[in-house]
């Protein structure tokens, strides 16, 4: 729409990495902390696509303008209203959490964007987005989206125990972190359970919802599981460290990738950033929230985080602090080298 692109001018020399989020209700702060974590660690320029209720738009603009210029120059943003191109808008809005179904319509709305990383508001990046963005190059010729499994162990997974609809694989997939090639999604005819021939993404959404609405619990995530059940060749499955949730440690550690490499993307679902049930997750959220942008990362982020973790050792998640710290320490060392060592080295040559 005219005027909507005023914040978003993608440089032609180095295309930015596109990140989308949907924020409604009380998710303003959570979304800002997620965006902050993205900006703190990423190397390439970012383009944020923020879908929000009209009442939140002025607050987003005000808060983002308060960030220091050394960080605001690393990203551009656009704020969109909540819209649904097919079906009943009120039905979509009420599906699972307010406005969450908006993510299903990203390929339709962002027609000029080729690829995109969608994340829930309760996500924190512990390493550069650049690293998950590279997974797009690993897609084969039929893959058009990537997600992580909903669970690592079928016998305690939700879908494998309770789902009343088709779902992907043995445990389903979690849509809180979803990498998408939007061009491929727009150009694909999807197999489905409604008609023998294929349907486009937009044609499929509302009939699929109508067919399964009495059987779905997790809203748009369930619809995505149904879509990829019928089109498994279209999905790339990335490992659990890219979408690490309380389920991966609250019953004992069950994400081997995180044990080996550390958590890459933290997903604090179940509201764990805002209660005391999983203090390890809350500690990470609060430390990134409270970090003054231009302070030293080790002194004002990493060391306070280590200190907070000492208070979480009584929990199953708190007993494996290295899982949470390994990747963020590695990332901060790289940031330090890029900003300090390389800079000093350049000066010493003269």
């Amino acid at each position: 729409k005219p005027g909507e692109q005023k914040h978003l001018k993608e440089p032609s020399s180095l295309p930015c990495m596109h990140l989308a989020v949907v924020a409604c209700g009380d998710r303003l702060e959570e979304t800002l902390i997620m965006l902050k974590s993205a900006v703190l660690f990423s190397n390439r320029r970012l383009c944020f696509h923020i879908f929000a209720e009209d009442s939140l738009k002025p607050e987003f603009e005000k808060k983002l303008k308060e960030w220091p210029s050394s960080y605001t120059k690393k990203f551009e943003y656009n704020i969109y209203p909540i819209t649904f191109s097919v079906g009943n808008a009120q039905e979509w809005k009420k599906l699972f959490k307010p406005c969450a179904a908006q993510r299903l319509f990203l390929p339709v709305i962002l027609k000029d964007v080729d690829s995109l990383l969608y994340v829930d508001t309760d996500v924190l990046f512990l390493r550069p987005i650049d690293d998950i963005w590279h997974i797009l190059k690993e897609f084969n010729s039929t893959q058009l989206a990537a997600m992580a499994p909903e669970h690592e162990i079928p016998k305690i997974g939700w879908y494998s125990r309770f789902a009343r609809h088709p779902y992907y694989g043995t445990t389903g997939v979690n849509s809180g972190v979803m990498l998408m090639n939007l061009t491929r999604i727009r150009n694909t005819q999807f197999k489905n359970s409604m008609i023998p021939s294929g349907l486009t993404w937009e044609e499929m959404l509302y009939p699929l919802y109508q067919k399964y609405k009495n059987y779905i619990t997790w809203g748009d995530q369930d619809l995505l599981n149904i879509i990829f059940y019928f089109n498994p060749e279209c999905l790339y499955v990335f490992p659990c460290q890219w979408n690490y949730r309380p389920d991966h440690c609250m019953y004992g550690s069950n994400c081997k990738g995180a044990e080996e490499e550390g958590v890459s993307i933290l997903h604090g679902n179940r509201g764990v950033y805002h209660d005391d049930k999983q203090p390890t997750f809350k500690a990470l959220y609060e430390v990134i929230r409270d970090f003054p942008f231009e302070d030293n990362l080790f002194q004002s982020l990493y060391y306070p985080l280590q200190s907070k973790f000492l208070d979480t050792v009584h929990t199953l998640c708190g007993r494996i602090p290295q899982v949470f710290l390994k990747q963020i320490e590695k990332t901060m060392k790289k940031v330090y080298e890029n900003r300090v060592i390389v800079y000093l080295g350049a000066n010493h040559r003269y």
Side-chain angles (χ1 to χ4, degrees):
K1 293 180 182 178
E4 278 196 352
Q5 299 299 325
K6 60 182 178 180
H7 304 295
L8 196 58
K9 295 178 182 177
E10 185 176 332
S12 57
S13 58
L14 187 62
C16 65
M17 299 177 293
H18 294 269
L19 178 69
V21 65
V22 179
C24 288
D26 59 357
R27 297 302 180 103
L28 176 74
E29 181 193 75
E30 217 173 61
T31 306
L32 288 166
I33 307 310
M34 179 277 291
L35 297 175
K36 183 179 183 181
S37 72
V39 172
L40 279 177
F41 302 131
S42 292
N43 301 312
R44 267 176 60 186
R45 191 168 183 78
L46 294 162
C47 287
F48 296 147
H49 300 272
I50 304 167
F51 290 80
E53 292 171 305
D54 294 342
S55 59
L56 293 180
K57 182 176 179 179
E59 283 298 305
F60 270 115
E61 294 189 328
K62 177 187 171 192
K63 295 291 184 183
L64 290 171
K65 284 174 184 173
E66 290 173 358
W67 290 6
S69 60
S70 57
Y71 285 93
T72 56
K73 69 183 181 183
K74 291 179 65 178
F75 69 90
E76 298 159 6
Y77 72 93
N78 197 8
I79 302 174
Y80 306 80
I82 302 296
T83 53
F84 304 98
S85 61
V86 293
N88 185 307
Q90 292 307 312
E91 277 189 284
W92 286 122
K93 281 184 180 178
K94 292 174 185 174
L95 185 64
F96 191 46
K97 292 181 180 176
C99 308
Q102 181 71 74
R103 89 181 83 183
L104 296 172
F105 295 87
L106 297 179
V108 181
I109 298 169
L110 301 175
K111 293 183 185 299
D112 297 327
V113 176
D114 174 67
S115 296
L116 177 86
L117 176 64
Y118 166 87
V119 295
D120 286 347
T121 60
D122 51 9
V123 155
L124 293 171
F125 294 95
L126 306 188
R127 68 189 287 183
I129 290 182
D130 311 58
D131 296 338
I132 191 170
W133 195 255
H134 289 318
I135 291 176
L136 285 164
K137 295 180 180 178
E138 297 178 19
F139 284 13
N140 66 25
S141 60
T142 62
Q143 290 166 338
L144 45 76
M147 288 184 275
E150 171 64 20
H151 215 289
E152 299 301 298
I153 304 171
K155 67 180 180 182
I156 56 175
W158 193 91
Y159 284 106
S160 45
R161 290 186 295 161
F162 304 118
R164 296 189 295 150
H165 58 77
Y167 58 89
Y168 179 88
T170 55
T171 61
V173 283
N174 184 282
S175 60
V177 179
M178 186 176 180
L179 192 61
M180 293 181 270
N181 184 316
L182 299 184
T183 301
R184 287 188 180 182
I185 291 174
R186 286 187 286 264
N187 293 337
T188 297
Q189 293 283 319
F190 291 89
K191 298 188 291 292
N192 61 86
S193 59
M194 295 167 291
I195 62 171
S197 60
L199 291 169
T200 67
W201 186 265
E202 188 175 19
E203 289 170 341
M204 174 175 57
L205 289 178
Y206 194 61
L208 198 70
Y209 165 68
Q210 287 295 317
K211 179 170 182 176
Y212 290 103
K213 65 181 179 180
N214 294 326
Y215 305 100
I216 59 178
T217 302
W218 308 112
D220 50 309
Q221 177 173 289
D222 290 348
L223 290 178
L224 289 167
N225 266 281
I226 295 166
I227 290 170
F228 290 110
Y229 169 84
F230 290 106
N231 300 271
E233 72 284 357
C234 294
L235 189 66
Y236 177 107
V237 179
F238 50 66
C240 47
Q241 65 265 31
W242 292 104
N243 185 350
Y244 191 90
R245 284 157 277 126
D247 284 25
H248 290 121
C249 56
M250 62 191 285
Y251 308 114
S253 182
N254 60 47
C255 176
K256 286 187 173 63
E259 291 172 13
E260 294 167 2
E261 297 183 17
V263 174
S264 296
I265 297 179
L266 193 76
H267 184 181
N269 63 347
R270 304 175 183 268
V272 293
Y273 296 149
H274 313 294
D275 60 31
D276 297 316
K277 292 177 182 176
Q278 297 297 336
T280 316
F281 283 74
K282 187 178 183 181
L284 267 157
Y285 178 80
E286 291 180 344
V287 165
I288 293 175
R289 180 194 66 193
D290 298 339
F291 172 69
F293 267 105
E294 295 181 307
D295 274 20
N296 180 283
L297 278 166
F298 279 101
Q299 289 180 345
S300 300
L301 196 152
Y302 188 70
Y303 297 142
L305 188 57
Q306 283 184 313
S307 178
K308 275 179 176 279
F309 272 18
L310 292 175
D311 298 327
T312 73
V313 293
H314 63 285
T315 67
L316 282 169
C317 295
R319 290 179 191 173
I320 48 173
Q322 71 281 1
V323 166
F324 296 89
L325 294 172
K326 187 180 292 188
Q327 197 58 241
I328 198 169
E329 181 182 15
K330 184 178 174 183
T331 298
M332 284 193 290
K333 282 180 178 175
K334 283 185 180 176
V335 171
Y336 178 77
E337 287 168 3
N338 290 340
R339 293 184 187 169
V340 180
I341 297 173
V342 174
Y343 174 77
L344 287 174
N347 282 347
H348 281 307
R349 285 199 295 270
Y350 296 96

